[in-house]
Amino acid sequence: MKVLNKHTDLSVKIKWTVFVPYIMLALIMGLTAIIHPGTLSLEWLANKSDSAFSLILVAIGQTFVLLTGGFDLSVGGVICVTNSLLAAYMGDTTGNILLFILIAMLIGASVGALNGFIVEKAKIQPFIVTFATSLILYGVALLILEIDGGVVAPNFIKVLLYRLGNVPFSMLMIVLLILLWIYLKRTKIGMALYAIGSNEKAAHLNGISVMKTKLIAYGLSGLFAALAGIFRTAQVASGSPTAGANFVMPSIAAAVIGGTSISGGEGGIVGSIIGVFIIRGITDLLVFMKVSSYWTSLVQGLLLLLAVAITSYAKLHKKGDATL
């Protein structure tokens, strides 16, 4: 009987850790409402969705790779290339706009799939492969656009920053992406992502194609980075060969803070979206508190350590639970 009670207690603790990101966000929003009354509103949420959407897209793509036990450092380079390409060559005709959006998406997906292929085929650590790819992409971005600038089509900006009443395009897309994820995680591909991240050898022995799954995971990471580059182009109405430099570490941090394990097999994009809002919420909260911006990185680092500790705690108890 004692063993059963212990088993039940552990299960409750493990399930409770899933809600930690939501509790963090609720606390941040609560403190924001107290310190700066009237801030939390539909208009505030709409503006936050727009400002955070590029990072949300990158964090979603990063989540697919993290679930397999890897990570992608090339997302910043993909954003640099796509942002520079669109600003430099897209033009203002509907045909050109659609063509360059498609080209940008193909670049992102192809770079990601290549990363996945090399990681799995050559058995090289994702850090080395994606870091090398990122350096190449940063170089390509500089060849496309040497300095910040370029021209972005007004119609392109109008469509991506469109608002349905007070609801921005970005918010609608976030809801759509969550719904797609709920469906995807129940498909063979979704289950394969979790299986490979949990135990790659066991997944292979059970007939799961590790190569195919990693190609899809890294391909999606590159694709979502490209989408982030596309949206950022509309948002800032210009291009920059260094546009993606500040997206790599925050995208990993957001996913991990949102509950995705850095060792794979646990997490999801909903948590990563929450993680992005936590990171952005902390920045806003420190501004409202008139605290130096130097504290932002420190607090984010502490939250990341806390998230990793919670994930490790849950995994440790799961191992112990399996032996009961």
Side-chain angles (χ1 to χ4, degrees), residues 179-203:
L179 293 174
L180 288 173
W181 170 248
I182 291 171
Y183 166 75
L184 179 63
K185 69 185 295 186
R186 289 169 170 77
T187 64
K188 288 183 179 179
I189 291 298
M191 290 186 285
L193 290 171
Y194 285 99
I196 289 172
S198 297
N199 191 322
E200 187 172 314
K201 288 183 179 179

mmCIF file of all heavy atoms in Angstrom, residues 179-203:
data_model
loop_
_atom_site.group_PDB
_atom_site.id
_atom_site.type_symbol
_atom_site.label_atom_id
_atom_site.label_comp_id
_atom_site.label_asym_id
_atom_site.label_seq_id
_atom_site.Cartn_x
_atom_site.Cartn_y
_atom_site.Cartn_z
ATOM 1 N N LEU A 179 -3.582 24.835 -32.973
ATOM 2 C CA LEU A 179 -4.531 23.821 -33.433
ATOM 3 C C LEU A 179 -3.844 22.781 -34.314
ATOM 4 O O LEU A 179 -4.107 21.578 -34.193
ATOM 5 C CB LEU A 179 -5.680 24.477 -34.201
ATOM 6 C CG LEU A 179 -6.622 25.367 -33.375
ATOM 7 C CD1 LEU A 179 -7.626 26.067 -34.279
ATOM 8 C CD2 LEU A 179 -7.336 24.551 -32.301
ATOM 9 N N LEU A 180 -2.943 23.238 -35.182
ATOM 10 C CA LEU A 180 -2.188 22.314 -36.040
ATOM 11 C C LEU A 180 -1.288 21.404 -35.203
ATOM 12 O O LEU A 180 -1.130 20.220 -35.511
ATOM 13 C CB LEU A 180 -1.347 23.102 -37.059
ATOM 14 C CG LEU A 180 -2.117 23.783 -38.188
ATOM 15 C CD1 LEU A 180 -1.183 24.661 -39.019
ATOM 16 C CD2 LEU A 180 -2.785 22.741 -39.088
ATOM 17 N N TRP A 181 -0.701 21.962 -34.149
ATOM 18 C CA TRP A 181 0.165 21.170 -33.272
ATOM 19 C C TRP A 181 -0.627 20.090 -32.539
ATOM 20 O O TRP A 181 -0.173 18.958 -32.402
ATOM 21 C CB TRP A 181 0.884 22.069 -32.276
ATOM 22 C CG TRP A 181 1.590 21.303 -31.199
ATOM 23 C CD1 TRP A 181 1.283 21.271 -29.881
ATOM 24 C CD2 TRP A 181 2.715 20.437 -31.365
ATOM 25 N NE1 TRP A 181 2.145 20.444 -29.200
ATOM 26 C CE2 TRP A 181 3.040 19.919 -30.090
ATOM 27 C CE3 TRP A 181 3.488 20.072 -32.467
ATOM 28 C CZ2 TRP A 181 4.101 19.048 -29.890
ATOM 29 C CZ3 TRP A 181 4.542 19.188 -32.266
ATOM 30 C CH2 TRP A 181 4.841 18.690 -31.001
ATOM 31 N N ILE A 182 -1.825 20.456 -32.064
ATOM 32 C CA ILE A 182 -2.681 19.481 -31.373
ATOM 33 C C ILE A 182 -2.965 18.290 -32.281
ATOM 34 O O ILE A 182 -2.985 17.135 -31.834
ATOM 35 C CB ILE A 182 -4.001 20.151 -30.919
ATOM 36 C CG1 ILE A 182 -3.702 21.161 -29.805
ATOM 37 C CG2 ILE A 182 -5.006 19.106 -30.424
ATOM 38 C CD1 ILE A 182 -4.889 22.029 -29.435
ATOM 39 N N TYR A 183 -3.138 18.574 -33.569
ATOM 40 C CA TYR A 183 -3.347 17.488 -34.539
ATOM 41 C C TYR A 183 -2.049 16.739 -34.812
ATOM 42 O O TYR A 183 -2.013 15.502 -34.784
ATOM 43 C CB TYR A 183 -3.913 18.058 -35.840
ATOM 44 C CG TYR A 183 -3.852 17.085 -36.996
ATOM 45 C CD1 TYR A 183 -4.745 16.013 -37.089
ATOM 46 C CD2 TYR A 183 -2.865 17.210 -37.995
ATOM 47 C CE1 TYR A 183 -4.677 15.108 -38.138
ATOM 48 C CE2 TYR A 183 -2.796 16.308 -39.042
ATOM 49 C CZ TYR A 183 -3.700 15.263 -39.115
ATOM 50 O OH TYR A 183 -3.612 14.363 -40.143
ATOM 51 N N LEU A 184 -0.963 17.482 -35.062
ATOM 52 C CA LEU A 184 0.306 16.867 -35.463
ATOM 53 C C LEU A 184 0.877 15.938 -34.412
ATOM 54 O O LEU A 184 1.401 14.862 -34.743
ATOM 55 C CB LEU A 184 1.337 17.962 -35.785
ATOM 56 C CG LEU A 184 2.735 17.481 -36.211
ATOM 57 C CD1 LEU A 184 2.657 16.701 -37.515
ATOM 58 C CD2 LEU A 184 3.704 18.641 -36.338
ATOM 59 N N LYS A 185 0.769 16.304 -33.144
ATOM 60 C CA LYS A 185 1.392 15.492 -32.096
ATOM 61 C C LYS A 185 0.735 14.119 -31.962
ATOM 62 O O LYS A 185 1.296 13.222 -31.342
ATOM 63 C CB LYS A 185 1.379 16.240 -30.767
ATOM 64 C CG LYS A 185 0.022 16.428 -30.146
ATOM 65 C CD LYS A 185 0.088 17.292 -28.887
ATOM 66 C CE LYS A 185 0.869 16.613 -27.793
ATOM 67 N NZ LYS A 185 0.830 17.368 -26.505
ATOM 68 N N ARG A 186 -0.444 13.964 -32.549
ATOM 69 C CA ARG A 186 -1.140 12.675 -32.501
ATOM 70 C C ARG A 186 -0.924 11.843 -33.760
ATOM 71 O O ARG A 186 -1.423 10.729 -33.873
ATOM 72 C CB ARG A 186 -2.645 12.899 -32.280
ATOM 73 C CG ARG A 186 -2.970 13.381 -30.875
ATOM 74 C CD ARG A 186 -4.411 13.857 -30.746
ATOM 75 N NE ARG A 186 -4.771 14.096 -29.355
ATOM 76 C CZ ARG A 186 -4.411 15.167 -28.665
ATOM 77 N NH1 ARG A 186 -3.679 16.102 -29.239
ATOM 78 N NH2 ARG A 186 -4.769 15.311 -27.406
ATOM 79 N N THR A 187 -0.194 12.407 -34.730
ATOM 80 C CA THR A 187 0.120 11.672 -35.958
ATOM 81 C C THR A 187 1.391 10.840 -35.771
ATOM 82 O O THR A 187 2.069 10.958 -34.741
ATOM 83 C CB THR A 187 0.326 12.648 -37.136
ATOM 84 O OG1 THR A 187 1.481 13.470 -36.866
ATOM 85 C CG2 THR A 187 -0.903 13.526 -37.331
ATOM 86 N N LYS A 188 1.711 10.033 -36.766
ATOM 87 C CA LYS A 188 2.919 9.200 -36.706
ATOM 88 C C LYS A 188 4.175 10.052 -36.585
ATOM 89 O O LYS A 188 5.103 9.703 -35.849
ATOM 90 C CB LYS A 188 3.006 8.319 -37.948
ATOM 91 C CG LYS A 188 1.983 7.189 -37.977
ATOM 92 C CD LYS A 188 2.179 6.313 -39.206
ATOM 93 C CE LYS A 188 1.171 5.160 -39.214
ATOM 94 N NZ LYS A 188 1.332 4.298 -40.414
ATOM 95 N N ILE A 189 4.205 11.163 -37.310
ATOM 96 C CA ILE A 189 5.375 12.051 -37.250
ATOM 97 C C ILE A 189 5.524 12.640 -35.856
ATOM 98 O O ILE A 189 6.623 12.681 -35.287
ATOM 99 C CB ILE A 189 5.261 13.184 -38.299
ATOM 100 C CG1 ILE A 189 5.409 12.622 -39.708
ATOM 101 C CG2 ILE A 189 6.310 14.261 -38.052
ATOM 102 C CD1 ILE A 189 6.753 11.975 -39.988
ATOM 103 N N GLY A 190 4.425 13.111 -35.292
ATOM 104 C CA GLY A 190 4.470 13.690 -33.950
ATOM 105 C C GLY A 190 4.950 12.689 -32.920
ATOM 106 O O GLY A 190 5.811 12.991 -32.087
ATOM 107 N N MET A 191 4.415 11.480 -32.983
ATOM 108 C CA MET A 191 4.820 10.442 -32.031
ATOM 109 C C MET A 191 6.271 10.027 -32.245
ATOM 110 O O MET A 191 6.981 9.705 -31.299
ATOM 111 C CB MET A 191 3.876 9.244 -32.144
ATOM 112 C CG MET A 191 2.471 9.535 -31.621
ATOM 113 S SD MET A 191 1.374 8.098 -31.583
ATOM 114 C CE MET A 191 0.988 7.938 -33.330
ATOM 115 N N ALA A 192 6.709 10.062 -33.524
ATOM 116 C CA ALA A 192 8.099 9.713 -33.832
ATOM 117 C C ALA A 192 9.072 10.718 -33.233
ATOM 118 O O ALA A 192 10.150 10.353 -32.754
ATOM 119 C CB ALA A 192 8.292 9.634 -35.348
ATOM 120 N N LEU A 193 8.708 12.012 -33.251
ATOM 121 C CA LEU A 193 9.561 13.053 -32.653
ATOM 122 C C LEU A 193 9.818 12.760 -31.176
ATOM 123 O O LEU A 193 10.958 12.818 -30.705
ATOM 124 C CB LEU A 193 8.897 14.423 -32.790
ATOM 125 C CG LEU A 193 8.798 15.029 -34.194
ATOM 126 C CD1 LEU A 193 7.923 16.270 -34.167
ATOM 127 C CD2 LEU A 193 10.181 15.376 -34.734
ATOM 128 N N TYR A 194 8.745 12.426 -30.461
ATOM 129 C CA TYR A 194 8.865 12.128 -29.031
ATOM 130 C C TYR A 194 9.634 10.826 -28.806
ATOM 131 O O TYR A 194 10.464 10.733 -27.893
ATOM 132 C CB TYR A 194 7.481 12.018 -28.398
ATOM 133 C CG TYR A 194 6.802 13.345 -28.192
ATOM 134 C CD1 TYR A 194 5.845 13.800 -29.089
ATOM 135 C CD2 TYR A 194 7.112 14.146 -27.099
ATOM 136 C CE1 TYR A 194 5.216 15.026 -28.903
ATOM 137 C CE2 TYR A 194 6.483 15.367 -26.896
ATOM 138 C CZ TYR A 194 5.534 15.803 -27.812
ATOM 139 O OH TYR A 194 4.915 17.012 -27.618
ATOM 140 N N ALA A 195 9.365 9.823 -29.650
ATOM 141 C CA ALA A 195 10.008 8.521 -29.477
ATOM 142 C C ALA A 195 11.518 8.615 -29.666
ATOM 143 O O ALA A 195 12.296 8.057 -28.886
ATOM 144 C CB ALA A 195 9.420 7.515 -30.460
ATOM 145 N N ILE A 196 11.950 9.347 -30.707
ATOM 146 C CA ILE A 196 13.384 9.484 -30.985
ATOM 147 C C ILE A 196 14.073 10.276 -29.882
ATOM 148 O O ILE A 196 15.182 9.949 -29.450
ATOM 149 C CB ILE A 196 13.601 10.154 -32.360
ATOM 150 C CG1 ILE A 196 13.208 9.183 -33.476
ATOM 151 C CG2 ILE A 196 15.049 10.605 -32.535
ATOM 152 C CD1 ILE A 196 13.207 9.790 -34.844
ATOM 153 N N GLY A 197 13.409 11.321 -29.399
ATOM 154 C CA GLY A 197 13.991 12.115 -28.315
ATOM 155 C C GLY A 197 14.098 11.345 -27.019
ATOM 156 O O GLY A 197 15.029 11.549 -26.236
ATOM 157 N N SER A 198 13.157 10.431 -26.790
ATOM 158 C CA SER A 198 13.171 9.635 -25.562
ATOM 159 C C SER A 198 14.223 8.536 -25.607
ATOM 160 O O SER A 198 14.967 8.329 -24.650
ATOM 161 C CB SER A 198 11.790 9.020 -25.328
ATOM 162 O OG SER A 198 10.823 10.025 -25.139
ATOM 163 N N ASN A 199 14.285 7.833 -26.748
ATOM 164 C CA ASN A 199 15.254 6.736 -26.912
ATOM 165 C C ASN A 199 15.387 6.424 -28.396
ATOM 166 O O ASN A 199 14.562 5.720 -28.962
ATOM 167 C CB ASN A 199 14.792 5.497 -26.140
ATOM 168 C CG ASN A 199 15.875 4.441 -26.052
ATOM 169 O OD1 ASN A 199 16.630 4.216 -26.997
ATOM 170 N ND2 ASN A 199 15.966 3.780 -24.910
ATOM 171 N N GLU A 200 16.418 6.974 -28.998
ATOM 172 C CA GLU A 200 16.582 6.856 -30.448
ATOM 173 C C GLU A 200 16.756 5.405 -30.901
ATOM 174 O O GLU A 200 16.180 4.985 -31.908
ATOM 175 C CB GLU A 200 17.780 7.695 -30.907
ATOM 176 C CG GLU A 200 17.923 7.768 -32.423
ATOM 177 C CD GLU A 200 18.992 8.743 -32.859
ATOM 178 O OE1 GLU A 200 19.023 9.876 -32.322
ATOM 179 O OE2 GLU A 200 19.796 8.391 -33.748
ATOM 180 N N LYS A 201 17.533 4.633 -30.161
ATOM 181 C CA LYS A 201 17.768 3.238 -30.547
ATOM 182 C C LYS A 201 16.487 2.427 -30.469
ATOM 183 O O LYS A 201 16.184 1.626 -31.357
ATOM 184 C CB LYS A 201 18.847 2.618 -29.649
ATOM 185 C CG LYS A 201 20.248 3.141 -29.929
ATOM 186 C CD LYS A 201 21.276 2.430 -29.062
ATOM 187 C CE LYS A 201 22.687 2.950 -29.368
ATOM 188 N NZ LYS A 201 23.718 2.294 -28.520
ATOM 189 N N ALA A 202 15.733 2.638 -29.399
ATOM 190 C CA ALA A 202 14.472 1.922 -29.234
ATOM 191 C C ALA A 202 13.485 2.309 -30.331
ATOM 192 O O ALA A 202 12.754 1.459 -30.854
ATOM 193 C CB ALA A 202 13.875 2.220 -27.864
ATOM 194 N N ALA A 203 13.475 3.595 -30.695
ATOM 195 C CA ALA A 203 12.585 4.063 -31.759
ATOM 196 C C ALA A 203 12.925 3.389 -33.083
ATOM 197 O O ALA A 203 12.034 2.956 -33.825
ATOM 198 C CB ALA A 203 12.693 5.579 -31.896
#
